[in-house]
Amino acid sequence: MKSVKYLLSDVRIPEHWYNIAADLPGLEPLLHPGTGQPATVDDLTGIMPKEVAEQELSTEREIEIPDEVRQIYAQWRPSPLFRARRLEEKLGTPARIYYKYEGGSPAGSHKPSTAVPQAFYNKAAGIRRLATETGAGQWGSSLALAGALFDLEVKVFMVRVSYHQKPQRRALMHAYGATCLPSPSTETEIGRKILDGDPDCPGSLGIATSEALELAMNDPGTNYAGGSVLNNVVLHQTVIGQEAMAQLDMAEDYPDIVIGCAGGGSNLGGLAFPFLGRQLRGGQAVRVIAAEPEACPTLTRGRVAYDFGDTGGFTPLMKMHTLGHAFVPPPIHAGGLRYHGISPLVSRALEEGLMEARAVPQTACFEAGLAFARSEGIVPAPESTHAVRVAVDEALRCREEGRSQVILFGLSGHGHFDLGAYERHLAGELTDDGFDADAVDRSLAQLPVPGGQEG
């Protein structure tokens, strides 16, 4: 028998989250949008618990994972690492392809790895309700799950186009006891303002984030919980890469290439940062590739600047690749990747030459997703197909060059709630939304000036 899966016991769940801020040079601080000064823990505790605010600003290399969080992780962590032998054979490649599969969590993606600790810290702080945004719904359903586990109310503002595209995902949130609304909504001032200007607005993660933040800022019993982008979220996801390291040790292998889909950056950073941290401390180098949608190419076409994480301008200013907080991406099915910015940590890694970015079109991603499903048996989430597409392309390059490289990619979730999109693709109904350069230029013209007004 040839090994196809590498499993770790419950006791191998990481005991610490890894913080790449300790090893990554040149990080720019979060800025208070009013003063232009570096944000403090006190600036953040109006919308998140002190422990999470401290993690957001921390430069410590390791942060201990609470025992209560590790115990809940044990329901699905450590997640399996698979060797994609049948895909390798189908592609005729000498490359060795591994994928870290996060679809076995109760919510079907990697997102509970941060939802659980955020709910834990909020419950300990006496918070009764969490508000958040979600695109495709993986994050919203994960926070709904965590809310159920810690007896917290959860209110989710789901990007309107995804709310209608993915009714099963919002049904899962309701099953966990959460409330899910299409965003922009009439429940917030920012939502009503946007609908007044455009009643048919498809929504965006930036708009949904503004609605969640407005709710949190106006109610002392409600906190905001972010699903990506923020440092603390990327921190929590590093359990993925740490486990992958141990599993590759079992396989007596090490990646030449690490690939992750990139929207807000938490899935990519969670897988890649432990490997990059080892490299930065003198270990073996890896080539990291961020796979992003061609219609929302934050890393490949965005500008590096201080910008808000939301459309309404409620968040601290983050130095990151951005298409501008006013940008509303086209309604692609990979709703979790429809975000105007990206994690400042991921952005900095790209600027330092520690990773590269590649934008891929929607239809090519679905083609790769089907090829993967027909060889490995798992139907990937539309977001994950971006990583699959780039992994397949790299494996084909290895075939052409006759090189036997090791490719590791993150399969961040399953596509069981996205089968309608696969049906549309099979029927030839899906198209590739192009990059709207004019819309991005208009959005970038509104970039904020730290301590002042928007441009």
Side-chain angles (χ1 to χ4, degrees):
M1 294 288 290
K2 296 179 179 179
S3 296
V4 295
K5 62 180 179 295
Y6 301 89
L7 304 175
L8 299 171
S9 67
D10 292 358
V11 297
R12 298 292 299 278
I13 295 171
E15 297 181 356
H16 296 84
W17 293 301
Y18 166 65
N19 185 9
I20 198 172
D23 298 311
L24 190 62
L27 284 177
E28 300 283 354
L30 289 177
L31 297 182
H32 189 288
T35 66
Q37 297 301 306
T40 66
V41 169
D42 287 343
D43 291 332
L44 301 178
T45 51
I47 58 170
M48 63 179 66
K50 181 180 178 183
E51 292 86 353
V52 176
E54 289 173 342
Q55 291 172 9
E56 183 65 24
L57 302 179
S58 175
T59 56
E60 294 181 26
R61 181 171 288 118
E62 293 185 337
I63 295 175
E64 185 175 0
I65 303 175
D67 290 340
E68 296 91 332
V69 171
R70 293 183 74 243
Q71 186 60 61
I72 294 174
Y73 276 175
Q75 185 170 346
W76 74 94
R77 305 217 71 89
S79 64
L81 178 79
F82 289 98
R83 171 82 181 269
R85 292 185 182 274
R86 290 188 298 274
L87 181 63
E88 294 170 10
E89 183 178 355
K90 184 171 186 174
L91 298 174
T93 180
R96 300 190 296 282
I97 306 173
Y98 296 88
Y99 58 96
K100 182 70 165 157
Y101 182 48
E102 295 296 309
S105 77
S109 77
H110 67 294
K111 296 290 189 176
S113 296
T114 184
V116 170
Q118 289 192 64
F120 166 77
Y121 289 121
N122 276 284
K123 182 68 174 181
I127 294 298
R128 62 174 176 81
R129 183 172 66 171
L130 296 177
T132 196
E133 75 289 332
T134 195
Q138 288 98 331
W139 168 241
S141 54
S142 297
L143 192 66
L145 164 67
L149 295 176
F150 288 97
D151 194 26
L152 293 167
E153 295 178 35
V154 174
K155 193 159 198 173
V156 182
F157 293 91
M158 187 173 186
V159 175
R160 181 173 294 272
V161 64
S162 294
Y163 182 91
H164 295 298
Q165 284 176 345
K166 305 173 191 295
Q168 295 87 357
R169 185 63 72 174
R170 71 172 188 261
L172 180 59
M173 296 180 222
H174 294 156
Y176 285 138
T179 301
C180 179
L181 300 172
S183 171
S185 76
T186 58
E187 293 223 353
T188 65
E189 183 178 343
I190 183 71
R192 291 188 293 270
K193 180 180 179 181
I194 290 170
L195 288 174
D196 285 344
D198 181 7
D200 298 320
C201 178
S204 70
L205 279 166
I207 293 170
T209 301
S210 291
E211 293 206 84
L213 285 166
E214 182 181 319
L215 198 67
M217 290 188 297
N218 291 330
D219 179 3
T222 300
N223 265 352
Y224 170 75
S228 192
V229 184
L230 298 172
N231 293 351
N232 74 85
V233 179
V234 181
L235 172 81
H236 298 156
Q237 294 294 357
T238 58
V239 292
I240 301 172
Q242 293 181 70
E243 290 173 6
M245 280 181 162
Q247 289 160 323
L248 284 165
D249 284 344
M250 296 171 63
E252 298 182 344
D253 237 334
Y254 200 81
D256 297 293
I257 305 167
V258 178
I259 302 165
C261 60
S266 67
N267 157 72
L268 170 68
L271 177 64
F273 281 176
F275 291 96
L276 285 181
R278 179 178 287 180
Q279 174 182 324
L280 288 166
R281 298 190 301 276
Q284 185 173 334
V286 293
R287 180 181 168 214
V288 177
I289 306 175
E292 65 179 6
E294 191 175 71
C296 188
T298 308
L299 289 169
T300 52
R301 302 287 292 272
R303 182 187 303 174
V304 179
Y306 269 106
D307 197 8
F308 294 110
D310 71 304
T311 302
F314 297 141
T315 70
L317 296 173
M318 297 177 278
K319 188 72 171 290
M320 60 182 177
H321 283 74
T322 180
L323 299 171
H325 62 277
F327 179 63
V328 178
I332 59 173
H333 276 271
L337 306 186
R338 293 180 66 248
Y339 186 65
H340 68 272
I342 199 159
S343 160
L345 296 171
V346 169
S347 189
R348 190 66 217 169
L350 184 72
E351 288 299 290
E352 290 291 325
L354 297 170
M355 67 171 62
E356 59 194 81
R358 191 175 303 174
V360 284
Q362 175 169 250
T363 54
C365 292
F366 273 95
E367 289 169 6
L370 288 173
F372 183 84
R374 292 168 182 176
S375 57
E376 295 297 309
I378 300 171
V379 178
E383 293 78 12
S384 306
T385 61
H386 291 67
V388 177
R389 175 74 268 166
V390 173
V392 167
D393 290 345
E394 287 299 306
L396 293 175
R397 176 190 56 77
C398 287
R399 184 184 71 186
E400 293 167 4
E401 297 176 357
R403 300 179 66 188
S404 180
Q405 292 189 301
V406 177
I407 300 169
L408 167 66
F409 73 90
L411 190 61
S412 56
H414 66 66
H416 298 170
F417 295 119
D418 300 282
L419 292 175
Y422 278 96
E423 281 283 270
R424 288 193 62 202
H425 174 71
L426 289 166
E429 297 173 359
L430 283 191
T431 59
D432 292 325
D433 293 296
F435 174 67
D436 191 340
D438 291 338
V440 170
D441 287 343
R442 292 193 297 270
S443 178
L444 290 174
Q446 301 177 52
L447 285 175
V449 178
Q453 303 298 316
E454 292 190 6

PDB file of all heavy atoms in Angstrom, residues 224-255:
ATOM      1  N   TYR A 224     -17.383  42.784  17.536  1.00  0.00           N
ATOM      2  CA  TYR A 224     -17.141  42.381  16.152  1.00  0.00           C
ATOM      3  C   TYR A 224     -16.167  41.206  16.135  1.00  0.00           C
ATOM      4  O   TYR A 224     -15.196  41.176  16.906  1.00  0.00           O
ATOM      5  CB  TYR A 224     -16.567  43.553  15.358  1.00  0.00           C
ATOM      6  CG  TYR A 224     -16.061  43.163  13.986  1.00  0.00           C
ATOM      7  CD1 TYR A 224     -16.952  42.890  12.955  1.00  0.00           C
ATOM      8  CD2 TYR A 224     -14.696  43.056  13.735  1.00  0.00           C
ATOM      9  CE1 TYR A 224     -16.493  42.518  11.704  1.00  0.00           C
ATOM     10  CE2 TYR A 224     -14.227  42.695  12.485  1.00  0.00           C
ATOM     11  CZ  TYR A 224     -15.132  42.425  11.474  1.00  0.00           C
ATOM     12  OH  TYR A 224     -14.675  42.052  10.227  1.00  0.00           O
ATOM     13  N   ALA A 225     -16.408  40.231  15.263  1.00  0.00           N
ATOM     14  CA  ALA A 225     -15.477  39.112  15.064  1.00  0.00           C
ATOM     15  C   ALA A 225     -15.132  39.041  13.583  1.00  0.00           C
ATOM     16  O   ALA A 225     -16.024  38.904  12.744  1.00  0.00           O
ATOM     17  CB  ALA A 225     -16.097  37.801  15.534  1.00  0.00           C
ATOM     18  N   GLY A 226     -13.860  39.163  13.258  1.00  0.00           N
ATOM     19  CA  GLY A 226     -13.422  39.167  11.864  1.00  0.00           C
ATOM     20  C   GLY A 226     -13.068  37.773  11.384  1.00  0.00           C
ATOM     21  O   GLY A 226     -12.527  36.964  12.142  1.00  0.00           O
ATOM     22  N   GLY A 227     -13.348  37.496  10.106  1.00  0.00           N
ATOM     23  CA  GLY A 227     -13.083  36.172   9.566  1.00  0.00           C
ATOM     24  C   GLY A 227     -11.793  36.044   8.795  1.00  0.00           C
ATOM     25  O   GLY A 227     -11.369  34.936   8.460  1.00  0.00           O
ATOM     26  N   SER A 228     -11.132  37.170   8.496  1.00  0.00           N
ATOM     27  CA  SER A 228      -9.871  37.132   7.754  1.00  0.00           C
ATOM     28  C   SER A 228      -9.180  38.480   7.916  1.00  0.00           C
ATOM     29  O   SER A 228      -9.601  39.304   8.738  1.00  0.00           O
ATOM     30  CB  SER A 228     -10.131  36.817   6.274  1.00  0.00           C
ATOM     31  OG  SER A 228      -8.935  36.511   5.598  1.00  0.00           O
ATOM     32  N   VAL A 229      -8.101  38.682   7.193  1.00  0.00           N
ATOM     33  CA  VAL A 229      -7.368  39.954   7.079  1.00  0.00           C
ATOM     34  C   VAL A 229      -6.613  40.319   8.369  1.00  0.00           C
ATOM     35  O   VAL A 229      -5.406  40.563   8.342  1.00  0.00           O
ATOM     36  CB  VAL A 229      -8.293  41.130   6.684  1.00  0.00           C
ATOM     37  CG1 VAL A 229      -7.486  42.413   6.489  1.00  0.00           C
ATOM     38  CG2 VAL A 229      -9.063  40.807   5.419  1.00  0.00           C
ATOM     39  N   LEU A 230      -7.320  40.384   9.500  1.00  0.00           N
ATOM     40  CA  LEU A 230      -6.711  40.846  10.742  1.00  0.00           C
ATOM     41  C   LEU A 230      -5.589  39.913  11.197  1.00  0.00           C
ATOM     42  O   LEU A 230      -5.625  38.699  10.983  1.00  0.00           O
ATOM     43  CB  LEU A 230      -7.773  40.953  11.838  1.00  0.00           C
ATOM     44  CG  LEU A 230      -8.896  41.959  11.572  1.00  0.00           C
ATOM     45  CD1 LEU A 230      -9.973  41.837  12.629  1.00  0.00           C
ATOM     46  CD2 LEU A 230      -8.345  43.377  11.525  1.00  0.00           C
ATOM     47  N   ASN A 231      -4.593  40.504  11.877  1.00  0.00           N
ATOM     48  CA  ASN A 231      -3.442  39.724  12.332  1.00  0.00           C
ATOM     49  C   ASN A 231      -3.848  38.574  13.233  1.00  0.00           C
ATOM     50  O   ASN A 231      -3.299  37.465  13.150  1.00  0.00           O
ATOM     51  CB  ASN A 231      -2.457  40.630  13.083  1.00  0.00           C
ATOM     52  CG  ASN A 231      -1.802  41.660  12.189  1.00  0.00           C
ATOM     53  OD1 ASN A 231      -1.939  41.625  10.965  1.00  0.00           O
ATOM     54  ND2 ASN A 231      -1.088  42.592  12.782  1.00  0.00           N
ATOM     55  N   ASN A 232      -4.816  38.830  14.139  1.00  0.00           N
ATOM     56  CA  ASN A 232      -5.192  37.769  15.083  1.00  0.00           C
ATOM     57  C   ASN A 232      -5.838  36.594  14.369  1.00  0.00           C
ATOM     58  O   ASN A 232      -5.701  35.450  14.802  1.00  0.00           O
ATOM     59  CB  ASN A 232      -6.106  38.331  16.178  1.00  0.00           C
ATOM     60  CG  ASN A 232      -7.519  38.608  15.719  1.00  0.00           C
ATOM     61  OD1 ASN A 232      -8.363  37.722  15.711  1.00  0.00           O
ATOM     62  ND2 ASN A 232      -7.802  39.854  15.340  1.00  0.00           N
ATOM     63  N   VAL A 233      -6.539  36.860  13.268  1.00  0.00           N
ATOM     64  CA  VAL A 233      -7.184  35.782  12.517  1.00  0.00           C
ATOM     65  C   VAL A 233      -6.139  34.922  11.811  1.00  0.00           C
ATOM     66  O   VAL A 233      -6.184  33.690  11.859  1.00  0.00           O
ATOM     67  CB  VAL A 233      -8.186  36.365  11.510  1.00  0.00           C
ATOM     68  CG1 VAL A 233      -8.839  35.253  10.701  1.00  0.00           C
ATOM     69  CG2 VAL A 233      -9.245  37.188  12.224  1.00  0.00           C
ATOM     70  N   VAL A 234      -5.181  35.575  11.166  1.00  0.00           N
ATOM     71  CA  VAL A 234      -4.104  34.836  10.505  1.00  0.00           C
ATOM     72  C   VAL A 234      -3.318  34.029  11.544  1.00  0.00           C
ATOM     73  O   VAL A 234      -2.937  32.880  11.304  1.00  0.00           O
ATOM     74  CB  VAL A 234      -3.175  35.800   9.743  1.00  0.00           C
ATOM     75  CG1 VAL A 234      -2.076  35.026   9.030  1.00  0.00           C
ATOM     76  CG2 VAL A 234      -3.963  36.633   8.732  1.00  0.00           C
ATOM     77  N   LEU A 235      -3.094  34.632  12.694  1.00  0.00           N
ATOM     78  CA  LEU A 235      -2.409  33.947  13.795  1.00  0.00           C
ATOM     79  C   LEU A 235      -3.098  32.641  14.132  1.00  0.00           C
ATOM     80  O   LEU A 235      -2.457  31.570  14.210  1.00  0.00           O
ATOM     81  CB  LEU A 235      -2.389  34.869  15.015  1.00  0.00           C
ATOM     82  CG  LEU A 235      -1.879  34.278  16.333  1.00  0.00           C
ATOM     83  CD1 LEU A 235      -0.364  34.275  16.351  1.00  0.00           C
ATOM     84  CD2 LEU A 235      -2.434  35.062  17.525  1.00  0.00           C
ATOM     85  N   HIS A 236      -4.408  32.687  14.343  1.00  0.00           N
ATOM     86  CA  HIS A 236      -5.153  31.482  14.738  1.00  0.00           C
ATOM     87  C   HIS A 236      -5.075  30.388  13.672  1.00  0.00           C
ATOM     88  O   HIS A 236      -5.090  29.202  13.999  1.00  0.00           O
ATOM     89  CB  HIS A 236      -6.616  31.836  15.001  1.00  0.00           C
ATOM     90  CG  HIS A 236      -6.813  32.810  16.114  1.00  0.00           C
ATOM     91  ND1 HIS A 236      -7.928  33.619  16.208  1.00  0.00           N
ATOM     92  CD2 HIS A 236      -6.045  33.124  17.188  1.00  0.00           C
ATOM     93  CE1 HIS A 236      -7.844  34.380  17.286  1.00  0.00           C
ATOM     94  NE2 HIS A 236      -6.699  34.106  17.885  1.00  0.00           N
ATOM     95  N   GLN A 237      -4.996  30.791  12.413  1.00  0.00           N
ATOM     96  CA  GLN A 237      -4.991  29.799  11.339  1.00  0.00           C
ATOM     97  C   GLN A 237      -3.644  29.085  11.179  1.00  0.00           C
ATOM     98  O   GLN A 237      -3.559  28.104  10.434  1.00  0.00           O
ATOM     99  CB  GLN A 237      -5.380  30.462  10.006  1.00  0.00           C
ATOM    100  CG  GLN A 237      -6.812  30.986   9.951  1.00  0.00           C
ATOM    101  CD  GLN A 237      -7.869  29.895  10.003  1.00  0.00           C
ATOM    102  OE1 GLN A 237      -7.560  28.705  10.025  1.00  0.00           O
ATOM    103  NE2 GLN A 237      -9.126  30.297  10.051  1.00  0.00           N
ATOM    104  N   THR A 238      -2.612  29.533  11.872  1.00  0.00           N
ATOM    105  CA  THR A 238      -1.300  28.883  11.704  1.00  0.00           C
ATOM    106  C   THR A 238      -1.247  27.474  12.273  1.00  0.00           C
ATOM    107  O   THR A 238      -0.239  26.781  12.094  1.00  0.00           O
ATOM    108  CB  THR A 238      -0.171  29.732  12.331  1.00  0.00           C
ATOM    109  OG1 THR A 238      -0.458  29.940  13.725  1.00  0.00           O
ATOM    110  CG2 THR A 238      -0.034  31.069  11.616  1.00  0.00           C
ATOM    111  N   VAL A 239      -2.313  27.032  12.928  1.00  0.00           N
ATOM    112  CA  VAL A 239      -2.374  25.609  13.291  1.00  0.00           C
ATOM    113  C   VAL A 239      -2.305  24.751  12.025  1.00  0.00           C
ATOM    114  O   VAL A 239      -1.798  23.620  12.061  1.00  0.00           O
ATOM    115  CB  VAL A 239      -3.636  25.282  14.110  1.00  0.00           C
ATOM    116  CG1 VAL A 239      -3.571  25.937  15.488  1.00  0.00           C
ATOM    117  CG2 VAL A 239      -4.920  25.698  13.381  1.00  0.00           C
ATOM    118  N   ILE A 240      -2.797  25.279  10.905  1.00  0.00           N
ATOM    119  CA  ILE A 240      -2.808  24.516   9.646  1.00  0.00           C
ATOM    120  C   ILE A 240      -1.388  24.197   9.198  1.00  0.00           C
ATOM    121  O   ILE A 240      -1.026  23.044   8.938  1.00  0.00           O
ATOM    122  CB  ILE A 240      -3.552  25.302   8.551  1.00  0.00           C
ATOM    123  CG1 ILE A 240      -4.988  25.603   8.957  1.00  0.00           C
ATOM    124  CG2 ILE A 240      -3.513  24.529   7.239  1.00  0.00           C
ATOM    125  CD1 ILE A 240      -5.712  26.541   7.995  1.00  0.00           C
ATOM    126  N   GLY A 241      -0.560  25.235   9.096  1.00  0.00           N
ATOM    127  CA  GLY A 241       0.811  25.035   8.624  1.00  0.00           C
ATOM    128  C   GLY A 241       1.662  24.237   9.604  1.00  0.00           C
ATOM    129  O   GLY A 241       2.508  23.429   9.186  1.00  0.00           O
ATOM    130  N   GLN A 242       1.449  24.457  10.902  1.00  0.00           N
ATOM    131  CA  GLN A 242       2.215  23.691  11.887  1.00  0.00           C
ATOM    132  C   GLN A 242       1.912  22.197  11.787  1.00  0.00           C
ATOM    133  O   GLN A 242       2.817  21.363  11.855  1.00  0.00           O
ATOM    134  CB  GLN A 242       1.907  24.200  13.285  1.00  0.00           C
ATOM    135  CG  GLN A 242       2.402  25.616  13.562  1.00  0.00           C
ATOM    136  CD  GLN A 242       2.087  26.044  14.978  1.00  0.00           C
ATOM    137  OE1 GLN A 242       2.666  25.553  15.945  1.00  0.00           O
ATOM    138  NE2 GLN A 242       1.149  26.969  15.122  1.00  0.00           N
ATOM    139  N   GLU A 243       0.635  21.868  11.637  1.00  0.00           N
ATOM    140  CA  GLU A 243       0.273  20.460  11.465  1.00  0.00           C
ATOM    141  C   GLU A 243       0.859  19.905  10.170  1.00  0.00           C
ATOM    142  O   GLU A 243       1.364  18.773  10.135  1.00  0.00           O
ATOM    143  CB  GLU A 243      -1.250  20.313  11.438  1.00  0.00           C
ATOM    144  CG  GLU A 243      -1.934  20.567  12.774  1.00  0.00           C
ATOM    145  CD  GLU A 243      -3.450  20.581  12.663  1.00  0.00           C
ATOM    146  OE1 GLU A 243      -3.974  20.277  11.566  1.00  0.00           O
ATOM    147  OE2 GLU A 243      -4.106  20.895  13.671  1.00  0.00           O
ATOM    148  N   ALA A 244       0.801  20.683   9.093  1.00  0.00           N
ATOM    149  CA  ALA A 244       1.323  20.226   7.807  1.00  0.00           C
ATOM    150  C   ALA A 244       2.809  19.920   7.888  1.00  0.00           C
ATOM    151  O   ALA A 244       3.295  18.956   7.277  1.00  0.00           O
ATOM    152  CB  ALA A 244       1.055  21.274   6.725  1.00  0.00           C
ATOM    153  N   MET A 245       3.537  20.724   8.640  1.00  0.00           N
ATOM    154  CA  MET A 245       4.966  20.459   8.832  1.00  0.00           C
ATOM    155  C   MET A 245       5.193  19.085   9.457  1.00  0.00           C
ATOM    156  O   MET A 245       6.026  18.290   8.989  1.00  0.00           O
ATOM    157  CB  MET A 245       5.588  21.532   9.724  1.00  0.00           C
ATOM    158  CG  MET A 245       5.920  22.824   9.023  1.00  0.00           C
ATOM    159  SD  MET A 245       6.678  23.986  10.192  1.00  0.00           S
ATOM    160  CE  MET A 245       7.424  25.128   9.042  1.00  0.00           C
ATOM    161  N   ALA A 246       4.447  18.802  10.518  1.00  0.00           N
ATOM    162  CA  ALA A 246       4.606  17.513  11.207  1.00  0.00           C
ATOM    163  C   ALA A 246       4.197  16.355  10.302  1.00  0.00           C
ATOM    164  O   ALA A 246       4.817  15.282  10.315  1.00  0.00           O
ATOM    165  CB  ALA A 246       3.773  17.513  12.492  1.00  0.00           C
ATOM    166  N   GLN A 247       3.145  16.560   9.505  1.00  0.00           N
ATOM    167  CA  GLN A 247       2.684  15.496   8.624  1.00  0.00           C
ATOM    168  C   GLN A 247       3.652  15.244   7.475  1.00  0.00           C
ATOM    169  O   GLN A 247       3.857  14.101   7.060  1.00  0.00           O
ATOM    170  CB  GLN A 247       1.284  15.848   8.114  1.00  0.00           C
ATOM    171  CG  GLN A 247       0.229  15.733   9.216  1.00  0.00           C
ATOM    172  CD  GLN A 247      -1.045  16.499   8.912  1.00  0.00           C
ATOM    173  OE1 GLN A 247      -1.017  17.589   8.331  1.00  0.00           O
ATOM    174  NE2 GLN A 247      -2.180  15.947   9.299  1.00  0.00           N
ATOM    175  N   LEU A 248       4.265  16.297   6.955  1.00  0.00           N
ATOM    176  CA  LEU A 248       5.267  16.106   5.916  1.00  0.00           C
ATOM    177  C   LEU A 248       6.513  15.423   6.461  1.00  0.00           C
ATOM    178  O   LEU A 248       7.195  14.693   5.736  1.00  0.00           O
ATOM    179  CB  LEU A 248       5.615  17.448   5.269  1.00  0.00           C
ATOM    180  CG  LEU A 248       4.545  17.968   4.297  1.00  0.00           C
ATOM    181  CD1 LEU A 248       4.768  19.434   3.976  1.00  0.00           C
ATOM    182  CD2 LEU A 248       4.530  17.142   3.015  1.00  0.00           C
ATOM    183  N   ASP A 249       6.808  15.644   7.745  1.00  0.00           N
ATOM    184  CA  ASP A 249       7.885  14.884   8.384  1.00  0.00           C
ATOM    185  C   ASP A 249       7.560  13.396   8.349  1.00  0.00           C
ATOM    186  O   ASP A 249       8.444  12.556   8.101  1.00  0.00           O
ATOM    187  CB  ASP A 249       8.083  15.337   9.832  1.00  0.00           C
ATOM    188  CG  ASP A 249       8.801  16.672   9.944  1.00  0.00           C
ATOM    189  OD1 ASP A 249       9.421  17.102   8.941  1.00  0.00           O
ATOM    190  OD2 ASP A 249       8.746  17.291  11.021  1.00  0.00           O
ATOM    191  N   MET A 250       6.286  13.059   8.605  1.00  0.00           N
ATOM    192  CA  MET A 250       5.866  11.662   8.532  1.00  0.00           C
ATOM    193  C   MET A 250       6.063  11.102   7.126  1.00  0.00           C
ATOM    194  O   MET A 250       6.424   9.929   6.951  1.00  0.00           O
ATOM    195  CB  MET A 250       4.390  11.532   8.934  1.00  0.00           C
ATOM    196  CG  MET A 250       4.082  11.902  10.372  1.00  0.00           C
ATOM    197  SD  MET A 250       2.291  11.986  10.693  1.00  0.00           S
ATOM    198  CE  MET A 250       1.812  10.289  10.386  1.00  0.00           C
ATOM    199  N   ALA A 251       5.803  11.944   6.126  1.00  0.00           N
ATOM    200  CA  ALA A 251       5.954  11.528   4.732  1.00  0.00           C
ATOM    201  C   ALA A 251       7.400  11.584   4.260  1.00  0.00           C
ATOM    202  O   ALA A 251       7.692  11.199   3.121  1.00  0.00           O
ATOM    203  CB  ALA A 251       5.092  12.409   3.834  1.00  0.00           C
ATOM    204  N   GLU A 252       8.289  12.079   5.129  1.00  0.00           N
ATOM    205  CA  GLU A 252       9.706  12.261   4.795  1.00  0.00           C
ATOM    206  C   GLU A 252       9.845  13.126   3.544  1.00  0.00           C
ATOM    207  O   GLU A 252      10.570  12.809   2.605  1.00  0.00           O
ATOM    208  CB  GLU A 252      10.412  10.912   4.622  1.00  0.00           C
ATOM    209  CG  GLU A 252      10.405  10.072   5.889  1.00  0.00           C
ATOM    210  CD  GLU A 252      11.153   8.755   5.727  1.00  0.00           C
ATOM    211  OE1 GLU A 252      11.414   8.344   4.580  1.00  0.00           O
ATOM    212  OE2 GLU A 252      11.498   8.142   6.766  1.00  0.00           O
ATOM    213  N   ASP A 253       9.105  14.240   3.548  1.00  0.00           N
ATOM    214  CA  ASP A 253       9.100  15.159   2.419  1.00  0.00           C
ATOM    215  C   ASP A 253       9.082  16.588   2.943  1.00  0.00           C
ATOM    216  O   ASP A 253       8.839  16.834   4.125  1.00  0.00           O
ATOM    217  CB  ASP A 253       7.873  14.912   1.530  1.00  0.00           C
ATOM    218  CG  ASP A 253       8.259  14.594   0.088  1.00  0.00           C
ATOM    219  OD1 ASP A 253       9.349  15.035  -0.334  1.00  0.00           O
ATOM    220  OD2 ASP A 253       7.482  13.921  -0.615  1.00  0.00           O
ATOM    221  N   TYR A 254       9.328  17.530   2.031  1.00  0.00           N
ATOM    222  CA  TYR A 254       9.266  18.951   2.380  1.00  0.00           C
ATOM    223  C   TYR A 254       8.902  19.716   1.123  1.00  0.00           C
ATOM    224  O   TYR A 254       9.398  19.407   0.029  1.00  0.00           O
ATOM    225  CB  TYR A 254      10.609  19.456   2.925  1.00  0.00           C
ATOM    226  CG  TYR A 254      10.492  20.736   3.732  1.00  0.00           C
ATOM    227  CD1 TYR A 254      10.092  20.693   5.065  1.00  0.00           C
ATOM    228  CD2 TYR A 254      10.751  21.976   3.156  1.00  0.00           C
ATOM    229  CE1 TYR A 254       9.963  21.854   5.824  1.00  0.00           C
ATOM    230  CE2 TYR A 254      10.630  23.141   3.902  1.00  0.00           C
ATOM    231  CZ  TYR A 254      10.237  23.071   5.231  1.00  0.00           C
ATOM    232  OH  TYR A 254      10.096  24.221   5.980  1.00  0.00           O
ATOM    233  N   PRO A 255       8.034  20.717   1.223  1.00  0.00           N
ATOM    234  CA  PRO A 255       7.550  21.370   0.005  1.00  0.00           C
ATOM    235  C   PRO A 255       8.586  22.280  -0.646  1.00  0.00           C
ATOM    236  O   PRO A 255       9.302  23.013   0.033  1.00  0.00           O
ATOM    237  CB  PRO A 255       6.344  22.177   0.492  1.00  0.00           C
ATOM    238  CG  PRO A 255       6.638  22.464   1.933  1.00  0.00           C
ATOM    239  CD  PRO A 255       7.370  21.250   2.436  1.00  0.00           C
TER     240      PRO A 255
END
